[in-house]
Amino acid sequence: MNRTGIMMSPIASKEMQDVDPSMMAPPGDESALAAMRAEYIASADMVGSMPPPASVSGAVQTAVAMLKGNHPALLLDKLGERLAFERTGTRLYDALITKCEVMLDGQISMTMADLERIRAEEARHFLLVSDAIESLGGDPTTQTPCADLAGVESMGLVQVLNDPRTTISQSLHAILTAELSDKAGWETLVALAEDQGLDDLAAEFTVALEKEREHLGLVTTWFDEALGMSYGEVEIPADAAGSAAPQGGGATPAA
Ligand SMILES: [Fe+2]
């Protein structure tokens, strides 16, 4: 039985609140805590660092890019972040597939084939990012600072998906969080690649971004359906490349 709320015990909670003010300690604030944190922040190192270029050609590419006024280390750091997140994304869908093999009951429009397809796209995006890092002279096995942070950020999502007690609706909420982050991450990569004049990469990243927008639209719809909201049929193109993808929560509620 859930006994976490104060109203579970109205008499004791009233007694607790009816305290003689003269018996209470003066109210404090968080300034001492903030001051201590400020000290730590001022003297802290960074979360990791970017390694030097992995090869001679990488060193040359980095030097040329820097001469052009670009920031190759920033792009490689964000690529490392996307690599880490797409790896986790693939595992999140693996976990959802396992859960749905047991629990999916036809109450929502999501199918196992949908999940397998998105899982394959996340894995393809992982390989796309890995190739991009190599093409820029980097090492895809490097744990970059932002890759480290992406791993920490997504820890809770992995826990939710792999918890045997969570429902499909609860799992989809975690997946929705991941897809929102995914979309934002690819938008950043497209912008960075365009900014650094890497037109071929920017074009490839834009295709990946379109896929992520489609994932977000689908997951939003499935999540709403799992909550019992009817948003109508969602078109899932057989070959989604370049197709009109549904955007987050796009349709009009039926009722
Ligand atoms: Fe995705």
Side-chain angles (χ1 to χ4, degrees):
M1 184 180 174
N2 185 339
R3 301 178 63 83
T4 52
I6 195 170
M7 290 174 79
M8 289 299 295
S9 182
I11 297 170
S13 61
K14 184 162 187 323
E15 273 175 25
M16 190 179 79
Q17 289 171 90
D18 286 345
V19 180
D20 177 357
S22 67
M23 301 292 288
M24 291 172 68
D29 60 35
E30 297 182 0
S31 57
L33 205 54
M36 188 185 72
R37 284 189 175 132
E39 246 177 76
Y40 276 95
I41 291 166
S43 60
D45 286 332
M46 307 292 282
V47 176
S49 60
M50 288 301 291
S55 61
V56 175
S57 70
V60 173
Q61 279 191 58
T62 302
V64 171
M66 289 178 78
L67 280 173
K68 288 182 184 168
N70 291 330
H71 302 96
L74 174 62
L75 179 57
L76 283 170
D77 191 12
K78 300 309 277 183
L79 283 168
E81 171 191 305
R82 214 67 256 119
L83 192 74
F85 203 90
E86 295 294 329
R87 183 197 292 114
T88 301
T90 307
R91 289 175 180 158
L92 290 177
Y93 276 97
D94 279 337
L96 184 59
I97 286 167
T98 302
K99 180 153 295 206
C100 286
E101 279 170 350
V102 179
M103 297 179 78
L104 197 62
D105 55 7
Q107 295 294 305
I108 60 175
S109 62
M110 178 179 78
T111 66
M112 297 303 291
D114 294 331
L115 295 180
E116 295 284 1
R117 181 174 64 85
I118 297 180
R119 189 256 179 226
E121 284 166 3
E122 303 291 357
R124 249 198 316 277
H125 290 170
F126 172 84
L127 294 174
L128 167 66
V129 175
S130 175
D131 289 347
I133 292 171
E134 279 187 352
S135 77
L136 295 169
D139 175 356
T141 64
T142 299
Q143 171 92 317
T144 73
C146 285
D148 194 345
L149 294 176
V152 174
E153 286 169 359
S154 56
M155 271 167 52
L157 305 180
V158 176
Q159 286 180 343
V160 169
L161 263 295
N162 284 319
D163 189 323
R165 302 166 301 172
T166 51
T167 64
I168 290 179
S169 161
Q170 290 166 339
S171 300
L172 281 172
H173 188 262
I175 293 270
L176 182 56
T177 307
E179 292 293 4
L180 283 164
S181 181
D182 238 357
K183 176 176 154 287
W186 282 103
E187 284 170 349
T188 301
L189 282 187
V190 170
L192 279 175
E194 281 175 351
D195 198 42
Q196 304 199 11
L198 301 165
D199 296 338
D200 290 349
L201 277 186
E204 285 186 88
F205 294 167
T206 301
V207 173
L209 173 60
E210 286 306 316
K211 287 282 181 196
E212 294 300 348
R213 285 182 172 146
E214 186 198 338
H215 297 177
L216 180 57
L218 288 169
V219 171
T220 303
T221 301
W222 296 332
F223 174 64
D224 290 345
E225 288 175 353
L227 293 182
M229 292 190 279
S230 173
Y231 278 73
E233 286 292 303
V234 180
E235 292 278 323
I236 304 167
D239 177 15
S243 61
Q247 300 298 310
T252 307

